[in-house]
Amino acid sequence: MTDWSVTIEAAREDDGSPIFVRIARAITADIRRGRLRAGDALPGTRTLATSLGVHRNTVLAAYRELFAEGWISSAKAKGTYVSVEIPEVAPKRFSPKAVLTREIAARAGYDVESGARGPGGGPLVESTPPVIPQRGPSLRKGALMTLGGGMPDVRLVPAGELARAFRRVLRRSALEVLSYGEPQGPVALRAAIAKMVSATRGVAARAEHVLVARGSQMGIDLVARTLIRPGDVVAVEHLGYRPAWEALRAGGARLVPVPVDAHGIDVGKLERLADAEQLRGVYVTPHHQFPTTVTLAPARRLRLLDLAREKRFWILEDDYDHEFHYEGRPVLPLASADVHGVVLYVGTFSKVLAPGMRIGFVVAPVPIIDRLATTRRYIDRQGDHLLAMAVAELLEEGDIQRHIRRAKRIYAERRVRFARLLETHFSGVLSFELPSGGTAIWARVSADVPVDLWAKRALEAGLVLQPARLFSFDGKGRSYLRLGFAQHDEREAKEAIGRMARAIPRRARASG
Amino acid sequence: MTDWSVTIEAAREDDGSPIFVRIARAITADIRRGRLRAGDALPGTRTLATSLGVHRNTVLAAYRELFAEGWISSAKAKGTYVSVEIPEVAPKRFSPKAVLTREIAARAGYDVESGARGPGGGPLVESTPPVIPQRGPSLRKGALMTLGGGMPDVRLVPAGELARAFRRVLRRSALEVLSYGEPQGPVALRAAIAKMVSATRGVAARAEHVLVARGSQMGIDLVARTLIRPGDVVAVEHLGYRPAWEALRAGGARLVPVPVDAHGIDVGKLERLADAEQLRGVYVTPHHQFPTTVTLAPARRLRLLDLAREKRFWILEDDYDHEFHYEGRPVLPLASADVHGVVLYVGTFSKVLAPGMRIGFVVAPVPIIDRLATTRRYIDRQGDHLLAMAVAELLEEGDIQRHIRRAKRIYAERRVRFARLLETHFSGVLSFELPSGGTAIWARVSADVPVDLWAKRALEAGLVLQPARLFSFDGKGRSYLRLGFAQHDEREAKEAIGRMARAIPRRARASG
């Protein structure tokens, strides 16, 4: 029988957070330090409520939170137990087998064979249509909804804890955060990020290897402005992430698209490109490729790292939603296997926390970080040290980690539910695989449904859809949609899919 | 006899701010709406305390605040009165006589005649030493102090009100500020800034003319990246502000320095430059020129505006510390007299509020604002909407305006006290005029004191000094120092000047 008095004592310590949070934390602390183990029974809610002198609803709220975060499970009428699969803290090392064993044939076919001069034969189409991918709020003013992929549900953000963190920082460190600070960001957050990527992503880093940027976008922009000379060739994934292309191009790069297939960027083609031209760098999203959601195959990862070393180009790795991986553990980034210092690693809290909180980071060798910091002085001089310190606190306290676990569990459910809705409503129209991670489904659209017209009609009906054209270098359409599932609850998802169904264009028929 | 019951009622309304603040606000509201007029007597502190049911110290605190902000004055033993010169809200229109009547001969001599090929004869020296002007915190960790000019005293910032504003915004608009937002900034702040510059700076603007940037630096960077093509000629003041030069150069500009004299940038020389070459733009700080603190003479202002229209170049006007003007009202910006739409107007809250709060703005025609916003998407996508909304609240509530009045009064005192200390300690070494505004004194150093050596020795003694070399285009030293007076209280100013005095190099003597 577990002794609950320690837990109860811990839950009684008033640190300013709501009681149910304190109860939940006291229990997770017990699980972490091994006082409670997988399968152990938790006390009944009435019993615990009486011991703590709180209302039973408070204990119920704490248990709901623990359930959402995956710490406990409930067997009907048999009480509540510590989960058998409790969230692990230490990362699994990258396993080369993890991805190869999965066949993802259904995802093939969205590379750019047609109409492209091909890598090694110079740049493909350099002109970019001015459309900006919709990664906006999930419910806009009025009735506009978006199935744009890549957005978290900001309603899950612990806004109250954030406000308290702001208050604490302003109380304790007002002079520090209000004065000019270092362009690299405050050392407290740089250290917390270094600790996080070391502990959970296998990227060995100390504070001096980290620059706090305003989202991954500024990380990319800083690299573009610092490490590209006009005319330098930079390879990018195709299909790919347009805002990164724009920043790289603004930095002077001549972009060359390299096709993406079911196993990520085609490293063989990249190699032929690197043989033909002096490559300065390559921009990749290996974990959940944007927009196709595929994971870079292990053999390609290793070849890419070797190639960068041989041909002396840098790899700009954008790991924009590392944590949201639902099948097994997240795949460790390229940066974790980079022994030659060729990877510039970019991450962000925009996806795991809130897009409006512009906190991202670059992890790189110290001389690079120093050069990026110099560039940064002339962009906006420095970041938001108040926000940065508040985020550092939330990381130190584990609030962000708790939020991630909770969001991940919710998104995992939404992923499955959304997929089921798509199958029900668009049988024969959409085909897709459940993505192993991320916040969106990449769906192939039946050839007889004009996808761009569908998106146009959907917009008229108050729904933003993202067709493949938005992610293409040559401005051509392709029969794919990127569909975000994370930002909508069940009711909203149904409404959005209803609008999507009503907007579907009549299929082209054989004439006559 | 004034009826105080309304004031007392207003002061009783609990809006979450401290009681003394509420009392002070109730009284200023009465003054604004004319219930109290210049010279009216205020009730005694005991009487008011009894009426309000608060401790007398609370009323004393309120009166001290009102005194600091300039609303009331005290005639010894005769009680407290509404100031005869209460802070005006409406701006005085720009008067051509205001500046011309002052002779500022002592400030002349810091232009770049020697060693320069001269405007119209192509660019001067293009290489820039990598030294970054010290605009860091006033008291660094350890014992390092700075007399770097341009810094406010962040201890005056209403941090508590800021924290409350954050909390209110997170409570009321969490979804809005946590989601992706517009790169131009939230409309609430754009509208508040438009209202502010319209009401106090004579710049007719609506929300759509405003882009919220991260300090004036990002405003300059956005203009540089959007409105400069590689090789474009952009004229800059010399001496001048290096971080702006760096941003303009990174945008592709070929910079041409134009000398500054006692009346600001030499518009005659600029005109000859514009005759000889196609000028794309000019970057100026007309109000308190950086670093020399001079104000652009009225005749030159008018000629500059005409010239820009004739020669079709833009004027990037950086009005970085508009409010801190101690002799009469602030001079209205060029933008207030710009009928042809040639001025891009940049301002910031970094100086009036806190450097670490990166909120600045660009005011420009709508098509320009739209183009800047597109550029911004690829830098950091958007600003801090949480911070922006909090600042909008503080502007709406008048908190920032109150802070500015208070800070201005304190800085005005520090300016005089600091000047007196300089005169006492450096008679025969420094000569200067009291600047009409800003946060720094521009002092000529006697020719027999090597100024760069002085700065070097001062740094060894724990004091940052800014010699003219930091602001020069050709990297050459000149016998001037920029000395900030705003950030130090009396004790600190004495300590800093003590260090400065101990670090003074022995004067060069005639040999033998």
Side-chain angles (χ1 to χ4, degrees), chain B residues 39-296:
Chain B
D40 279 359
L42 264 65
T45 50
R46 271 178 230 280
T47 314
L48 190 52
T50 309
S51 310
L52 284 162
V54 299
H55 196 279
R56 189 178 158 231
N57 284 345
T58 306
V59 175
L60 281 169
Y63 279 20
R64 266 197 301 271
E65 179 68 22
L66 291 167
F67 182 76
E69 291 180 12
W71 292 98
I72 63 174
S73 56
S74 208
K76 262 175 218 159
K78 286 191 177 165
T80 308
Y81 298 86
V82 176
S83 288
V84 175
E85 290 189 83
I86 59 171
E88 281 176 50
V89 179
K92 199 174 72 178
R93 292 300 300 184
F94 170 68
S95 149
K97 284 187 190 160
V99 183
L100 271 185
T101 52
R102 301 182 62 226
E103 196 58 53
I104 329 180
R107 279 191 198 143
Y110 35 78
D111 58 26
V112 287
E113 300 301 340
S114 60
R117 268 183 285 157
L124 298 173
V125 184
E126 279 279 354
S127 74
T128 303
V131 188
I132 291 142
Q134 172 60 40
R135 301 171 91 190
S138 79
L139 276 171
R140 287 216 190 158
K141 259 175 205 144
L144 194 64
M145 302 183 83
T146 176
L147 282 178
M151 299 230 314
D153 186 343
V154 296
R155 292 168 296 193
L156 305 178
V157 173
E161 292 177 20
L162 186 60
R164 277 190 291 278
F166 273 119
R167 200 175 53 203
R168 282 196 301 268
V169 171
L170 274 174
R171 204 177 281 157
R172 216 170 39 211
S173 316
L175 293 191
E176 188 183 338
V177 299
L178 295 174
S179 299
Y180 281 125
E182 292 303 314
Q184 294 94 328
V187 75
L189 181 56
R190 298 170 74 197
I193 289 170
K195 196 170 143 193
M196 179 188 80
V197 298
S198 300
T200 67
R201 305 191 189 182
V203 180
R206 291 188 307 275
E208 63 262 37
H209 300 111
V210 178
L211 178 141
V212 180
R214 294 180 45 69
S216 55
Q217 186 65 37
M218 184 182 261
I220 297 163
D221 187 52
L222 283 172
V223 168
R225 289 179 75 158
T226 310
L227 301 178
I228 295 174
R229 284 163 310 207
D232 277 352
V233 176
V234 174
V236 295
E237 297 169 331
H238 191 219
L239 305 174
Y241 185 55
R242 187 180 303 280
W245 300 346
E246 295 290 348
L248 294 166
R249 184 177 284 146
R254 183 159 65 84
L255 301 182
V256 179
V258 175
V260 168
D261 62 24
H263 304 290
I265 189 169
D266 187 332
V267 176
K269 290 193 175 162
L270 183 71
E271 185 165 355
R272 288 195 290 283
L273 172 65
D275 284 340
E277 304 207 47
Q278 177 57 52
L279 251 193
R280 181 78 170 148
V282 57
Y283 168 78
V284 286
T285 53
H287 196 201
H288 308 127
Q289 201 270 336
F290 191 96
T292 67
T293 80
V294 299
T295 300
L296 188 62

Side-chain angles (χ1 to χ4, degrees), chain B residues 9-27:
Chain B
E9 269 322 298
R12 278 204 182 110
E13 274 171 32
D14 187 354
D15 61 353
S17 51
I19 303 174
F20 85 91
V21 172
R22 275 143 55 194
I23 298 171
R25 278 189 206 166
I27 292 171

